[in-house]
Structures are given as C-alpha cells and as structure tokens.
Amino acid sequence: METAIAYGAMKAGRVPFDPVAFFTHPRTILRLLSWVFSIVVFSCIVNEGYINIGSERLLCVFNKNAHACNYGMTVGVACFLGSICFLILDVYFPSMSNLKDRKRVVLFDLIFSGVASFLWFVGFCFLANQWQATSPDELPLAQGSDAARATITFCFFSILSWAVLTLSALRRYLTGSNTNLFTWQHLDPPPSNARATPYPIPNGGTIVTTNPYQATPFTETLDPQKLTQHRQVAPAF
C-alpha cells in the first residue's frame, strides 16, 4: 500500500525530522537563496544606496529618487522575514496532523510567493529604469554604482527564485486538493498481530473481522426456545 501523503508531506509523526534531508531539499535551497538575495538587495541600498553631494542631505543613487531606494529596502526586508517564516513552517509542516492547517500553510505560501515574485519584477523594472535615467555627472567618482548594479542583478535573481517557489506551492496545493484524503487508501493497514474477532449475528452465525478499530455491534444471539419458554400467555376469559 502506498504511503499517505497530504500536501507534499508524510502523515504526521510518520517520519522523524532529518536535518540533512531538509537542507538538501530543493524547496529549502530555494528559500535559502531567496533569503540571501533579499539580504544583498537591502544591504546594498542601506550601505551604498545613498550619496552625499555637496550637502548634508543623502540622495538615492537611483536618479535621486527616494521612492526607488525605499521600495527596494521594503521588498527586501519583507522577503527576508518571509523566507525565515516559511523555513520555520517547513520544519514543522510534517508534524501538522490537521489537514486544514496544512492547506492554510500551503495556500499562504502560494499567495506570498506569488506576490513576492510580482513585487520583485516591479522592483527590477523600476530600479533598472531609474538607474538608466541616472546621469554619470550625478555620481562623482562612480559612487554607489556597484551597489546599484548588484541591487538590480539580485532583484532579477529574486524573481526567478520566488517564481519557482510559487510553482512549487501551486503544485502542492493542487495535489492536496485533488487527492481524496479520506478514502480507505490513506488509512494504515491493520497490525499483523491483530486477532480475528467473531461477532454474533441474529441467525446464529458469526462475522469474523480483523479490523481492530471496528466497534462491537449491539446484537446478541437469540434462542427461539428461550423466547417460547419466557413468553407469557394471556388468560382466556
């Protein structure tokens, strides 16, 4: 009999946590890569994304547009925290016995990954456009140019990683939704040492079952002679 799987994971308590298998899983690797990409994006903007040109006011290297830098940092921090959150959920996901909880986690993963992929795409287009509009005269000694290029590059890498995570979550959700998880095929087989338990039926026969979870029916063997002996006859008038 095939092993029961619900939303891409074994039944709760079936398989113990294996750190090596977890960290070598493709989904975990993608989450770690997305986590690293988000760190690179917002760290580049925080460290070298602002320049000071003849005044105390810091200007964004992306065409002096503060919205571009704020957008990159916001998306980077949000995806950084989201990657950590989903890594923790992936660790505890196999121990979830409630199918509704698993469905909510997979659906949340699908929505978050899809939104993150879209936001990274918008950020890549926005930052690339603003960097293209930036004049070299606005960046003396090419200040922040390397950080700007790294930010745009890792925005593109983040699009790919989150898009693959979106497809992975969509496959898990469709697999869990299309599979009937309440049929006999997903129940554990009876233990090998289960004894055959006879149950009486009204005609004097017995039913033999090896299902240890079947409740005893509320019937008993009835003897017609005993019924005749105990039957009270109404007096004749």
Side-chain angles (χ1 to χ4, degrees):
M1 184 175 294
E2 298 181 357
T3 304
I5 298 178
Y7 293 99
M10 300 293 184
K11 279 187 174 182
R14 180 180 293 274
V15 180
F17 176 73
D18 187 0
V20 177
F22 175 75
F23 285 104
T24 56
H25 195 277
R27 184 168 58 251
T28 304
I29 296 175
L30 284 173
R31 294 203 192 281
L32 292 175
L33 288 176
S34 301
W35 178 68
V36 173
F37 295 161
S38 62
I39 292 177
V40 173
V41 170
F42 76 76
S43 62
C44 287
I45 296 177
V46 170
N47 294 329
E48 300 183 19
Y50 294 91
I51 57 175
N52 186 355
I53 305 177
S55 63
E56 296 181 355
R57 183 181 179 182
L58 296 177
L59 301 176
C60 180
V61 296
F62 293 99
N63 198 25
K64 299 180 181 179
N65 189 347
H67 297 292
C69 291
N70 293 336
Y71 184 90
M73 287 190 298
T74 302
V75 176
V77 172
C79 291
F80 169 78
L81 298 176
S83 298
I84 296 178
C85 177
F86 284 110
L87 282 173
I88 297 175
L89 288 176
D90 287 342
V91 172
Y92 290 99
F93 188 81
S95 62
M96 295 181 182
S97 59
N98 193 338
L99 294 180
K100 292 183 178 179
D101 293 339
R102 289 191 174 194
K103 183 177 181 180
R104 293 190 187 98
V105 171
V106 175
L107 183 60
F108 181 57
D109 185 12
L110 174 61
I111 295 174
F112 186 90
S113 300
V115 172
S117 179
F118 174 76
L119 292 178
W120 280 120
F121 175 76
V122 174
F124 171 76
C125 296
F126 183 32
L127 295 178
N129 177 264
Q130 293 299 309
W131 178 246
Q132 186 178 8
T134 303
S135 174
D137 299 334
E138 298 176 354
L139 300 176
L141 301 178
Q143 293 181 7
S145 59
D146 292 337
R149 296 189 184 95
T151 301
I152 296 173
T153 301
F154 282 94
C155 281
F156 178 76
F157 291 158
S158 297
I159 297 173
L160 301 179
S161 62
W162 284 102
V164 176
L165 287 173
T166 302
L167 295 177
S168 175
L170 178 61
R171 182 183 61 84
R172 295 168 65 195
Y173 182 78
L174 294 178
T175 303
S177 299
N178 295 337
T179 304
N180 188 359
L181 301 177
F182 300 98
T183 60
W184 61 271
Q185 296 177 352
H186 299 278
L187 298 177
D188 293 332
S192 58
N193 58 352
R195 296 185 305 171
T197 305
Y199 294 142
I201 57 177
N203 60 1
T206 57
I207 298 176
V208 179
T209 178
T210 58
N211 188 353
Y213 304 104
Q214 181 175 351
T216 305
F218 295 97
T219 58
E220 62 179 358
T221 304
L222 299 179
D223 190 355
Q225 296 181 357
K226 293 182 179 180
L227 291 176
T228 305
Q229 294 175 0
H230 291 83
R231 180 180 300 173
Q232 295 181 0
V233 181
F237 293 96

